[in-house]
Amino acid sequence: MGRAVRRSALVVGLVGILGLVATTTVTGHDEDHEGPAFEVQVLRDAVAGWNILIVTDVRFAPENVSTGNVEGEGHAHVYVDGVKVSRIYGMWHYLYDLEPGEHEIKIELSNNDHTPITTGEHVLEQIVTIQEPVPTERPATPEPRAVPADQPIPAVSAEAVHDPAGGFNLRIALEHFDLAPVKASRDPVDGEGHGRLYLNGEYVTRIYEEWTQITGLWVGTHEITVALVGNDHAPLTHDGSPIQATFTLDVTEESLTAGPGHDHGGTADDMGGMSSMDMGDDHHDMDMGDDEPTEDMATG
């Protein structure tokens, strides 16, 4: 019981100290259990969308996703109204694109091979009900901001790592810059903020962690860009150029297919993040067309 109190205090402390708006956490099982600690909060973002915070003893191991299980490590899956929309590879995850009204958010802890982590007869999951408000006029996106001359210049590099279950995961590396998802949509602080993921020039989502699943890919050549922005979402620049990393990813049918022994029943459910619904202050609709080639089914 002491451990449960401590982890709950951590979540409540983050919410209270930073003035974040949180929902009530609903636990997937009520009685005490022997197993990994697991607590979730879904926090309303001040600009748009929701920030998911996970506190758990399970070590997030995106580098081992879709491989053999190792006790005590894995990742999480997020479901919206019963539909899987993405994997979660770290403590923070950004969720958006919700229609106004009530939604059920389920976070499920998973082993490396995507099977649910269980304790006794219970799947380690948390279910939270949120209320998406009717959209109102949002603050304008800040103008690009140059890094002050007396500050180290941030740098970002990025690569796509093939997933054994099919598809790709994005991994970024940073210099002179800290990811600060807990301060997203708050006042800017030099040297911290988050990333923005762009696919073929179209905004996809925020990047809060070193690893992010790339969903919605189809066969063909894609341009992937990761841009650094401040806490207030202002794009960061140096010498008049945005601070970002861009690379080209060639996607084949084979790369979207699970290898031998990695068929985890993937569906189109994981394509969340590629819809053309309202994505907040910096979204541009993406017309996929009716004749696009095979799409990434985002297995696992």
Side-chain angles (χ1 to χ4, degrees):
M1 180 65 69
R3 182 175 62 182
V5 171
R6 286 193 297 273
R7 72 175 189 270
S8 295
L10 172 60
V11 174
V12 171
L14 284 171
V15 172
I17 292 173
L18 295 170
L20 301 172
V21 179
T23 66
T24 300
T25 301
V26 180
T27 309
H29 44 82
D30 297 326
E31 65 270 25
D32 291 339
H33 64 86
E34 292 297 327
F38 181 38
E39 189 79 14
V40 169
Q41 283 282 359
V42 183
L43 312 168
R44 181 65 184 164
D45 187 85
V47 171
W50 301 81
N51 297 311
I52 297 174
L53 167 63
I54 299 176
V55 179
T56 181
D57 293 339
V58 174
R59 185 183 79 84
F60 287 99
E63 71 278 8
N64 295 329
V65 70
S66 304
T67 65
N69 290 344
V70 175
E71 185 175 357
E73 70 176 34
H75 56 280
H77 293 166
V78 56
Y79 296 78
V80 177
D81 299 327
V83 177
K84 185 192 295 181
V85 297
S86 188
R87 300 179 196 157
I88 299 178
Y89 288 150
M91 191 174 179
W92 290 91
H93 184 78
Y94 183 56
L95 181 67
Y96 56 93
D97 242 6
L98 302 179
E99 294 289 343
E102 186 176 278
H103 297 279
E104 181 185 272
I105 310 301
K106 182 175 77 171
I107 310 298
E108 179 185 274
L109 286 183
S110 300
N111 293 298
N112 292 338
D113 70 350
H114 310 291
T115 57
I117 295 177
T118 61
T119 175
E121 298 179 354
H122 302 290
V123 173
L124 283 180
E125 64 182 27
Q126 300 277 359
I127 298 175
V128 178
T129 299
I130 65 172
Q131 187 73 30
E132 176 71 17
V134 175
T136 58
E137 184 176 354
R138 298 188 178 97
T141 302
E143 292 294 321
R145 183 170 59 248
V147 175
D150 62 347
Q151 293 293 316
I153 306 304
V156 57
S157 59
E159 63 174 336
V161 180
H162 184 249
D163 192 311
F168 294 87
N169 298 303
L170 178 74
R171 185 178 189 181
I172 66 170
L174 299 165
E175 294 181 7
H176 307 303
F177 190 81
D178 294 323
L179 294 172
V182 72
K183 299 181 184 179
S185 300
R186 298 175 68 83
D187 293 336
V189 176
D190 290 336
E192 69 177 34
H194 55 277
R196 281 182 181 164
L197 174 61
Y198 294 85
L199 177 64
N200 301 321
E202 300 290 343
Y203 171 76
V204 177
T205 190
R206 299 179 192 173
I207 296 177
Y208 284 162
E209 300 285 351
E210 177 186 0
W211 290 79
T212 304
Q213 185 184 26
I214 307 176
T215 59
L217 294 172
W218 59 90
V219 173
T221 300
H222 301 277
E223 182 182 84
I224 309 293
T225 296
V226 176
L228 298 187
V229 302
N231 296 333
D232 61 348
H233 311 290
L236 300 181
T237 67
H238 176 61
D239 286 343
S241 298
I243 299 176
Q244 61 186 36
T246 299
F247 65 92
T248 299
L249 177 62
D250 292 321
V251 177
T252 65
E253 289 190 15
E254 291 76 14
S255 67
L256 297 179
T257 304
H262 292 95
D263 183 6
H264 303 304
T267 70
D269 296 346
D270 276 2
M271 289 182 62
M274 296 304 300
S275 78
S276 59
M277 292 185 288
D278 180 22
M279 292 169 66
D281 59 316
D282 49 3
H283 170 57
H284 303 280
D285 289 345
M286 182 173 179
D287 183 8
M288 301 287 286
D290 297 327
D291 55 354
E292 293 289 356
T294 305
E295 292 178 337
D296 175 11
M297 302 312 284
T299 57

